[in-house]
Amino acid sequence: MFRLQGSKVLAVDVTGDAVKAKNGSMVAYDGQMDFKKLSGGGEGLRGMVTRRLTGEQMTVMEVRGQGTCWFADRASEISLVQLQGDKLYVESSNLLATDAGLRTGTTFTGLRGASQGNGLFTTTVEGHGQAAITSDGPAVVLRVSPQYPLSVDPGAYVAHQGNLRQSFQSGVTFRTFLGEGGGEAFQIRFEGDGLVYVQPSERNTIAGDV
């Protein structure tokens, strides 16, 4: 259902099932399509209220019909993630589209969200199906194992999946060495068994400075 045309355009073959995508991300379509704007980004009232409380602006549209839709987001690189009943945690700004077999919601992330000014919640995607995520530059997928925990700069973090524990640790970050740090720097630490998606460019936030 999901396929990439190049690295920056997602083609979705729609055959009656609904596809959820970031509002404004569709660049073309053929066939017969119906479009519906969805509020929030999570399922039901809880998702809507959560988004409003945290100040996150995540507007989603639902596409149904017969044909093909093409999606893109500011020439960002796109990666496809296959879920087999597991859960994907992703920054709301990096989620491009999900297919009908996946549920979206929100989860509490604590310190990281608050320090970045993005609210205390992040987006979750779970079920069986495909999701498309974006990154500023080609995403790098890093494996975390019990023997090798991983520390990530918050500005480069995109998403993670698997049996991972997430915590926050103070310490130096890359920008500290460059003399760009201000305040107390911190990193996101992942332990367990899973995958972490990072981008080779830091988003424009205060990121690792608390």
Side-chain angles (χ1 to χ4, degrees), residues 40-52:
E43 298 288 356
L45 181 62
R46 180 181 178 277
M48 294 173 62
V49 172
T50 297
R51 292 298 175 191
R52 289 174 181 170

Side-chain angles (χ1 to χ4, degrees), residues 169-187:
Q169 59 183 18
S170 300
V172 292
T173 62
F174 304 111
R175 66 175 60 82
T176 304
F177 290 110
L178 299 174
E180 298 175 358
E184 184 182 4
F186 76 99
Q187 302 161 338

